[in-house]
Every structure is written in C-alpha cells, then in structure tokens.
Amino acid sequence: MADSPALPTTMRAWKYSNNGTPSNVLSLDAKFPAPQAPTGGELLIRVSHAALNPVGAVTMATVPSIIRRCPAVPEIDFSGVVVAAGPTAPVQFPAGARICGSYTVAVNRKGLGSLAEYIVVSEETAGLSRVPEGLDMAQAAGLHCTGQTAVSMCERAGIKGGERVLVNGASGGVGTMVVQVLKAMGCKEVVAVCSERNAEAVLKLGADEVIDYKVHSPLTEYLAGKYAGQPFDFIFDTQGVQDLYQNSPNYLKESGMHINIGVNDGLKTFLRWGQNAWLPPAIGGVPRKYVMFNTVLDSKTGGVLADMVEQKRVRPVIAEHFEMEDALKAYDLLLSQRAQGKIIVKVQNI
C-alpha cells in the first residue's frame, strides 16, 4: 500500500444488532471500530454523505443476526474521498480521488454499510465511479443504487426506443431515475404514477403524462378504462403493488412485461415472487410475464451512469438532507413513502 496518513481507530457509525424498524434498533456509536488499512484491491473511503434506500430498512428488519456481522452498519449508497488504496486497487481511484458508489446488497446483508465515517470497498463489494462533473457530494451519494437499478430495469426490458411504459412510484428515488433513463433511451411515451403534489417535478424529468393515484382510485380500474385499447409495452413497478400486476392484462400487452423492484411489503413481496413468475394461467396465474430482480451493482454500470450524468441525460433527484445525528428522522421520511427523490444523510464535512 502507498504511504497514507495515520488512520483513526474509532469513528462515528450507526449500528444495529437486533431486527426491527430503524427507530427501534438503530443507535449512533461515537466509538465504533474504524476499518483497518486497505489490502489487495481495496479502497479506504472517508465518507461525506450516505443515501437511504428501502432495501436498507428491509434488510434491517429481516436478515437474522446469525448470518451477518453484529453489530451491523446500515445502508449501501455513499460518496466520499479515497484515503488510502491497496496495492492492486483500481488506478482510477488514487488517494484523494472523489468517489461515489454503492455496496452490493449481498455485502450489506452481511453487515457492512455506508452510514459510517469510514468504509472499505472494492470492485467486488461495490459498484463504483468517479463523482461526475457537475454533482456535489450530496447528489453523488444518491446516484448509484437508484441509477444502476434504473439502467438495469431498462436493460432487462430490452428498451430500444419507441416503447410505451407505465412507471409506478415515479416520484421516489428509483422512479425519478427510471423516468429519465427511459426517455434517454428513446421511449415514445412514459406515463408516471405519483401523487399530484409531485406531478410537476416528474413532468420536468421527462414524463409525458402523470396519473394521480389518489384521484384515480382504484388505480387499476382507471388504467383498464383508459388504456385497454392502447396497452403498455412494459410496466415498471418501483413500489411492489400486487394489484397492479394482478390486473395487468387489462392494460399491458400480451407480449408485455411487468418488472418489479419494489419490496415495500417485505417478505410478502418475495413470497409472491414465485407465484407471479411461475404459476401457469391455467391454474390461476396472471397471463403476463413477471420479472423481479436485485440489481447487481458494478463499476461498469457505474461508469455508464456517470457518463449519462455528465452528458446531462440524467440527474439524481434529492428529496431532503439530514445531519448524521438525525438519521432516524431520515428513516421516518423513507418509511412514509412520501419522499420525492433520494434522502441524503450528511456523515461529515469533507
């Protein structure tokens, strides 16, 4: 490893040991053990900002302590500065480089997280990129998980341009990125579902039409009435609403695909996954293709995303900023499902 400054032995970090909601299980530890100097291809990052994700709260509530580190640190998204690099670390991230990225969900489930002053990452444990020109550290922290998820959803659908797509949860962290990526890839029409108070912002991101799910309730009946004669090519569901898929033959083409990444119902979402994906229509299954997946976060997609930002084709949308000490308030907003964009926690001044 190249020469590096003296490293701290302790740091501030949010931690949890038991399963439950953030307000019940998280605590801020001012003397949490700091990571050791990086080895091999690792990078030691001084974290500037972290971003919250629904999957973080689900992991906190469901992954048993027997299969993860205790205490564990939550969250996956981060931005910061490289403090030190291992001897085989990526050369594009030398000491002093501004970096952003996201731990993989698999690594986070083992107890490693970004809501701490220092973290160690590698290209095997996280999707990484430079901080794109034009973004500050807070915006960069909100880029990767949602951005890479949006790109992966479009790639899974095989978007080529000219498609009509319905996006449910269009004003959330993933939804705001999905709308932008779909338009950047040439979709003919993007119809966004969100509340009326977020409609103007979503239209500015490129949506062609906004449906207020509160006004048009039940949503599935409204969709069936309006789009039965001109069904969608794809439905991108960032919330995990089962009724939206259950009734999709009324507004989704027979050759269409329903892609879900929403996990707001926790374990119920995963239990329905098998039913939705594999149950034949002859015995009660829905006659439309259902896809659910965990995004594989990697540096290749991270670089593509950084390029798209610098080309001004997409940008992260920030809902609200919180100080490190106020992370529990940030989680309250996350769990309310009312945030317009990403929720950012400032870890420290850099």
Side-chain angles (χ1 to χ4, degrees):
M1 185 185 72
D3 292 341
S4 60
L7 304 178
T9 57
T10 61
M11 63 179 180
R12 291 193 308 162
W14 282 92
K15 66 178 184 179
Y16 67 98
S17 293
N18 300 320
N19 293 118
T21 61
S23 61
N24 289 329
V25 302
L26 276 180
S27 62
L28 180 58
D29 188 345
K31 294 193 177 296
F32 193 84
Q36 297 182 347
T39 61
E42 295 175 338
L43 299 166
L44 176 65
I45 309 298
R46 187 181 179 208
V47 178
S48 172
H49 292 75
L52 305 190
N53 292 282
V55 71
V58 172
T59 297
M60 210 179 303
T62 61
V63 176
S65 59
I66 194 172
I67 62 172
R68 59 169 166 77
R69 185 177 73 172
C70 275
V73 176
E75 291 312 320
I76 58 178
D77 279 329
F78 61 88
S79 64
V81 173
V82 177
V83 175
T88 60
V91 295
Q92 66 267 34
F93 301 123
R98 286 162 33 104
I99 190 170
C100 58
S102 183
Y103 275 118
T104 67
V105 173
V107 168
N108 183 242
R109 287 174 180 163
K110 294 178 181 178
L112 297 176
S114 61
L115 208 51
E117 291 181 322
Y118 291 89
I119 60 174
V120 169
V121 299
S122 69
E123 290 192 308
E124 286 70 43
T125 62
L128 306 170
S129 81
R130 66 194 182 279
V131 173
E133 291 184 15
L135 293 191
D136 59 30
M137 285 296 209
Q139 293 170 313
L143 177 63
H144 271 267
C145 182
T146 55
Q148 291 203 41
T149 298
V151 171
S152 296
M153 292 177 80
C154 292
E155 290 177 344
R156 180 64 182 84
I159 298 295
K160 295 180 174 61
E163 298 89 351
R164 299 178 61 255
V165 184
L166 177 72
V167 180
N168 187 44
S171 62
V174 175
T176 53
M177 293 299 290
V178 164
V179 169
Q180 294 178 82
V181 173
L182 284 169
K183 295 303 289 187
M185 290 187 171
C187 282
K188 177 181 179 181
E189 183 178 12
V190 174
V191 177
V193 178
C194 64
S195 65
E196 198 281 331
R197 71 186 182 91
N198 295 327
E200 183 178 354
V202 172
L203 287 169
K204 288 180 179 178
L205 294 175
D208 298 285
E209 179 184 351
V210 168
I211 298 172
D212 183 349
Y213 65 89
K214 293 180 179 179
V215 172
H216 301 292
S217 180
L219 176 64
T220 54
E221 291 185 10
Y222 175 79
L223 294 173
K226 184 170 184 178
Y227 297 106
Q230 194 177 11
F232 294 101
D233 297 292
F234 299 98
I235 296 173
F236 284 13
D237 186 4
T238 73
Q239 299 292 312
V241 178
Q242 178 66 11
D243 282 351
L244 190 63
Y245 173 66
Q246 199 74 37
N247 292 281
S248 62
N250 294 323
Y251 39 80
L252 179 64
K253 289 181 179 179
E254 188 173 353
S255 60
M257 184 186 303
H258 182 110
I259 302 179
N260 175 54
I261 54 92
V263 293
N264 288 341
D265 285 337
L267 286 174
K268 289 183 180 179
T269 303
F270 296 99
L271 293 175
R272 287 196 295 256
W273 182 2
Q275 173 187 326
N276 291 344
W278 302 108
L279 189 66
I283 55 173
V286 178
R288 293 297 183 273
K289 186 173 180 62
Y290 179 91
V291 173
M292 179 175 173
F293 65 94
N294 286 326
T295 304
V296 178
L297 300 161
D298 58 52
S299 295
K300 179 180 178 182
T301 307
V304 170
L305 193 57
D307 290 342
M308 293 179 75
V309 171
E310 292 180 345
Q311 294 163 5
K312 302 187 183 305
R313 301 171 71 192
V314 302
R315 61 179 177 86
V317 177
I318 306 303
E320 196 164 338
H321 300 79
F322 292 85
E323 295 296 323
M324 182 69 156
E325 296 81 3
D326 295 325
L328 294 182
K329 294 179 181 179
Y331 275 110
D332 287 342
L333 178 58
L334 176 77
L335 296 176
S336 76
Q337 300 182 30
R338 294 176 180 173
Q340 181 189 318
K342 294 294 294 183
I343 301 167
I344 305 298
V345 175
K346 182 181 178 181
V347 176
Q348 60 187 316
N349 289 319
I350 293 183

